[in-house]
Amino acid sequence: MNTKPLKLLLIEDNAYDVKVIRLMLAPQREELLFDFCAAESLAEGLVQLAEHPADVALLDLNLPDSVGLETFRQVYKAFPHTPIIIISGTDDLTLAVQAVQLGAQDYLLKGEMSRNLLVRAIHHAVERHSILQKLNRRTQDLAESEARWRMITAKSADGIAIVDADGGVRFANPAAVRILNLAGIPAPNRVFPHPLPLDNTAEMTLPAGDDSAAVTVETDTVPIEWGETPAFLVILRDITVRKHVEIELQRAKDTLESVVKARTSELKKANQYLLDQISERRRTQRALNRALTEAEQARDHIDAILGSVADGLLVTDTHNRVVMMNQAAENILSIYLSEVIDQPIDFVFDNEVLRNRITLTLAENRHGYQFDFSVPSLLAQLTGKNKKPQIIRARTAIIRDKLHQPSGVLTIMYDVTYERELDRLKSEFISTAAHEFRTPLTTIQGFSEILLARDDLTAEARRKYLTYINNQALSLARIINEMLDISRLESSRSFQLSKVQCNIEETITGVVERFKQQGTRHTFRIVLDEMPADWVVDRPKIERVLENLLSNAVKYSPEGGLIQIRGESYQTLHSPVVYYHVAVQDQGIGMTLEQVDRIFDQFYRADASNTALEGIGLGMALVKHVVEAHGGRVWVESKVGAGTTAAFTIPLTGQRPQATP
């Protein structure tokens, strides 16, 4: 595979060493290519790095204008993002350790350096540098996430505190510091000033600072782990004002009750009605508090849920800006959230269908759209070749706030390429099967009607028509048998090998003779080695394999020509198993690489049109199953216009090897 050459800069004043290293890096294999440059001094090397950045710098510490580790420090200070490998003639372990600690990727000795060692060091330096860049990017994302979390907790009106099992306050946001009166206490010495409530929701009275009145606090407590130790997440709400209001209401109630006693029954009914309203409000308040608690707990788990969802999730705001993407969406769209967050979708996504559906969903304030769009496949992006795109099914939905107003759009995406390919194959199979069944059935129907309608036919004519009917019935039986065989192979039902020892030449020659008797325009040549003469196989199934290979060779050589069947035995160096190799070679129309890649797929045919050669695309799939069941392997080599070679190998003794060669 052709790759972009790595740019190397060697800073070395010794011309002989430069020549030796240049020879070491001379191309020997296509995948090891380097763009090599050299500088004789530190100053010249710094200029070259500035004008022509290198992927890796090879540095000698002892130069005309700089000596020792100071040489490395100057290069590393000027170009900290360039991997540096020190190549020195000094065998000093302490110096090597210091250089690596200062940032050098490796320390190589000139006298002990080989091509493999140098090339491996260069590639390891590039890989470590790439990994470090990714690590820095992930670290930055983590820092931004932590900053957002701290901003949320800092602006929260509710107090948020993490309390360990001993009552120590491990974390407190500004609201919690104010409520718990911890402002003047150093963080390591902060203690929760009240026995920690074990119930999820509780109320407590806390002393306030500066001689102020006590503070009534409502708490929600949730067990968590903090730094791998058990702790509690405590949500604090200052309800002092509410409690004062409740006390005043109670006093008013008592006053009303004393007045009601002196009033009429009508006033008693009115008072009872008021009490019922107050009770209902309290129940409503408790229900709201529980709902708020559940919402806050659910929000704490959103990040974990989004990360575990297999479908791609994309969230945009009311201005059509990207707010959130999970990793599955990043993989589908080949975009990192850190690179596009808060950017408009018109500048982020190239796919017009995706942009329009998100925009329409928000503009029309409707439930959403379900639609398909395509993206380049990952293989196409990596290789630059025009591979089939991925088909993505997407569904949009409006995100609404507490007031039921639109606050953004949620788009769910998942890959349906495989399902679409299955639909296409199903359609091709139905069309092909209908065509393959219709031709024999038409022949059978036509000739049977002639036999039924005409009594004046001669015996020879009747036999001829019955032969046509029989041949077409056999063709139908062959198609149905292929489908049944594939079904049994797929489900492992009713598929067993009945192996016997039989003569190789008789097996192959017998199948070839049957093809010769069909009167084709092809010439068959059998070339077999002399030894061995027998193999242990399921003979009918192996004959079926040979028939399929020869049938394809005949069908796809419409102009005739030579069909050669070669057979030979061989044995690998690391296995005691002896294999037999059979190859069927034709001079036909050949196949493209894409057709060769799919030749063993069920129902696949190189030409799926109704005018193509007969067959429903099961023959080669059956060949593959039978050969692999014998412990062998099968493959196809082909070139358009130059013919095709189909070959397989199986163990001679019938023994299933540990690994197929």
Side-chain angles (χ1 to χ4, degrees):
M1 179 178 66
N2 294 325
T3 58
K4 183 179 180 181
L6 291 176
K7 294 183 179 180
L8 305 180
L9 175 63
L10 171 62
I11 306 177
E12 169 64 69
D13 62 328
N14 189 309
Y16 176 77
D17 291 339
V18 172
K19 181 177 180 181
V20 170
I21 294 174
R22 185 186 297 273
L23 289 175
M24 284 185 180
L25 298 177
Q28 294 183 4
R29 298 194 304 272
E30 186 179 357
E31 66 271 18
L32 296 177
L33 299 176
F34 299 101
D35 187 355
F36 184 85
C37 296
E40 297 181 352
S41 65
L42 176 61
E44 182 184 351
L46 294 175
V47 170
Q48 288 200 33
L49 284 173
E51 295 178 351
H52 307 287
D55 295 315
V56 178
L58 308 176
L59 178 65
D60 185 3
L61 295 180
N62 297 319
L63 299 172
D65 50 351
S66 181
V67 178
L69 286 177
E70 183 60 28
T71 305
F72 171 78
R73 290 190 182 96
Q74 292 189 48
V75 177
Y76 186 76
K77 180 179 179 182
F79 302 96
H81 299 296
T82 300
I84 302 173
I85 299 175
I86 294 177
I87 298 178
S88 176
T90 304
D91 187 3
D92 188 337
L93 179 60
T94 302
L95 179 63
V97 172
Q98 290 177 349
V100 173
Q101 289 175 342
L102 289 175
Q105 294 292 329
D106 211 334
Y107 187 99
L108 305 178
L109 290 176
K110 295 179 180 178
E112 300 178 0
M113 186 170 57
S114 65
R115 169 184 169 80
N116 290 338
L117 177 61
L118 178 56
V119 170
R120 185 166 57 250
I122 291 172
H123 281 282
H124 286 180
V126 173
E127 290 174 2
R128 283 194 295 271
H129 180 64
S130 175
I131 292 171
L132 182 60
Q133 285 183 325
K134 292 180 181 178
L135 179 61
N136 290 338
R137 184 164 57 249
R138 295 296 184 189
T139 302
Q140 181 180 357
D141 292 344
L142 181 61
E144 291 175 356
S145 176
E146 181 179 357
R148 287 195 296 270
W149 180 81
R150 290 189 177 276
M151 179 188 69
I152 293 171
T153 58
K155 293 185 177 181
S156 174
D158 291 341
I160 302 174
I162 305 297
V163 183
D164 61 24
D166 298 326
V169 179
R170 304 285 296 277
F171 168 81
N173 70 339
V177 171
R178 174 180 56 77
I179 293 172
L180 298 176
N181 195 23
L182 301 175
I185 304 176
N189 300 329
R190 292 176 177 176
V191 178
F192 198 80
H194 194 281
L196 196 64
L198 298 179
D199 297 334
N200 287 343
T201 303
E203 292 183 4
M204 63 178 66
T205 301
L206 300 176
D210 302 330
D211 298 326
S212 302
V215 177
T216 303
V217 177
E218 183 180 69
T219 64
D220 293 322
T221 306
V222 180
I224 63 170
E225 286 191 2
W226 185 269
E228 299 183 358
T229 59
F232 297 91
L233 169 65
V234 184
I235 308 298
L236 306 164
R237 299 180 191 83
D238 188 346
I239 59 171
T240 305
V241 175
R242 191 183 77 187
K243 296 301 292 185
H244 287 168
V245 172
E246 291 178 354
I247 292 173
E248 292 300 324
L249 287 174
Q250 185 63 39
R251 290 175 181 172
K253 175 188 170 187
D254 295 340
T255 302
L256 286 174
E257 287 179 349
S258 64
V259 174
V260 167
K261 290 180 181 179
R263 301 293 183 179
T264 62
S265 60
E266 183 180 353
L267 292 176
K268 289 182 179 180
K269 292 179 181 179
N271 183 59
Q272 185 61 44
Y273 175 77
L274 179 61
L275 292 176
D276 291 342
Q277 290 296 312
I278 293 174
S279 178
E280 180 64 25
R281 289 178 182 177
R282 287 180 177 174
R283 285 195 297 270
T284 302
Q285 182 64 40
R286 286 194 294 270
L288 288 174
N289 289 340
R290 287 194 298 269
L292 180 61
T293 301
E294 292 173 357
E296 291 172 346
Q297 292 174 349
R299 185 175 55 193
D300 292 337
H301 297 290
I302 287 178
D303 288 341
I305 293 174
L306 293 179
S308 61
V309 171
D311 293 343
L313 300 179
L314 167 65
V315 179
T316 53
D317 60 16
T318 54
H319 299 288
N320 287 327
R321 295 176 301 193
V322 177
V323 176
M324 191 281 297
M325 294 169 59
N326 67 351
Q327 186 174 356
E330 291 181 337
N331 294 338
I332 291 173
L333 301 173
S334 300
I335 296 175
Y336 288 110
L337 175 62
S338 59
E339 298 175 353
V340 300
I341 191 167
D342 294 331
Q343 294 187 25
I345 60 175
D346 290 336
F347 297 101
V348 172
F349 304 129
D350 295 331
N351 191 280
E352 184 177 357
V353 175
L354 177 61
R355 297 198 309 266
N356 289 343
R357 293 300 183 272
I358 294 175
T359 303
L360 287 175
T361 300
L362 187 62
E364 298 176 0
N365 193 16
R366 57 179 287 178
H367 181 67
Y369 290 94
Q370 182 166 290
F371 58 95
D372 291 352
F373 66 95
S374 61
V375 296
S377 66
L378 179 60
L379 183 60
Q381 297 179 49
L382 294 176
T383 63
K385 297 181 178 179
N386 187 20
K387 298 294 183 179
K388 290 185 178 179
Q390 290 179 274
I391 307 302
I392 306 301
R393 167 59 61 90
R395 186 173 64 253
T396 60
I398 289 287
I399 302 174
R400 302 186 184 277
D401 57 19
K402 295 180 180 180
L403 300 178
H404 205 64
Q405 296 299 314
S407 62
V409 176
L410 170 65
T411 305
I412 303 175
M413 299 169 283
Y414 53 95
D415 192 341
V416 294
T417 307
Y418 180 72
E419 288 80 356
R420 295 295 181 271
E421 181 65 15
L422 284 181
D423 291 342
R424 187 187 65 79
L425 288 176
K426 180 180 68 175
S427 298
E428 288 184 3
F429 168 69
I430 292 174
S431 175
T432 302
H435 176 74
E436 293 298 324
F437 280 125
R438 183 170 60 245
T439 300
L441 286 174
T442 301
T443 302
I444 292 172
Q445 181 180 1
F447 284 112
S448 61
E449 288 177 353
I450 293 174
L451 291 171
L452 290 172
R454 295 182 57 181
D455 296 330
D456 58 342
L457 294 176
T458 64
E460 182 180 356
R462 287 180 177 277
R463 179 177 181 82
K464 178 180 179 181
Y465 295 159
L466 288 172
T467 300
Y468 287 153
I469 293 173
N470 182 65
N471 289 338
Q472 295 304 317
L474 291 175
S475 178
L476 281 174
R478 176 182 57 78
I479 295 173
I480 294 172
N481 286 336
E482 284 186 352
M483 298 173 66
L484 291 175
D485 287 343
I486 286 295
S487 175
R488 294 190 187 104
L489 288 168
E490 291 289 341
S491 61
S492 299
R493 293 183 290 107
S494 305
F495 183 76
Q496 296 180 351
L497 297 179
S498 299
K499 296 182 180 180
V500 296
Q501 183 172 345
C502 54
N503 185 271
I504 296 174
E505 184 175 0
E506 290 179 358
T507 305
I508 296 175
T509 303
V511 175
V512 173
E513 287 298 325
R514 289 198 291 271
F515 275 85
K516 289 182 178 180
Q517 293 172 6
Q518 295 176 4
T520 65
R521 293 181 296 171
H522 301 78
T523 301
F524 294 88
R525 178 187 298 168
I526 302 175
V527 181
L528 306 178
D529 63 355
E530 296 181 358
M531 293 295 292
D534 294 333
W535 53 8
V536 180
V537 296
D538 187 322
R539 181 165 179 170
K541 290 184 173 61
I542 290 298
E543 288 180 345
R544 188 74 173 275
V545 168
L546 293 169
E547 288 173 356
N548 274 297
L549 298 183
L550 286 169
S551 176
N552 285 342
V554 171
K555 285 191 296 184
Y556 292 99
S557 303
E559 301 300 326
L562 175 65
I563 296 177
Q564 183 169 262
I565 302 93
R566 290 180 286 106
E568 59 182 353
S569 61
Y570 71 94
Q571 184 176 6
T572 62
L573 295 176
H574 305 290
S575 173
V577 180
V578 179
Y579 294 88
Y580 199 78
H581 171 269
V582 179
V584 178
Q585 181 180 11
D586 63 57
Q587 299 174 340
I589 59 178
M591 294 183 290
T592 65
L593 290 177
E594 182 179 0
Q595 291 170 334
V596 172
D597 289 339
R598 300 190 56 193
I599 191 66
F600 296 108
D601 293 350
Q602 294 182 21
F603 311 122
Y604 176 75
R605 299 192 306 162
D607 183 357
S609 66
N610 288 336
T611 60
L613 297 173
E614 64 176 8
I616 58 174
L618 292 176
M620 292 305 289
L622 182 63
V623 167
K624 184 174 185 294
H625 279 295
V626 171
V627 171
E628 291 181 350
H630 280 80
R633 68 186 184 97
V634 60
W635 67 96
V636 172
E637 299 172 354
S638 185
K639 185 176 181 181
V640 176
T644 301
T645 299
F648 67 89
T649 61
I650 57 175
L652 279 173
T653 60
Q655 176 186 0
R656 192 178 184 89
Q658 295 296 326
T660 303

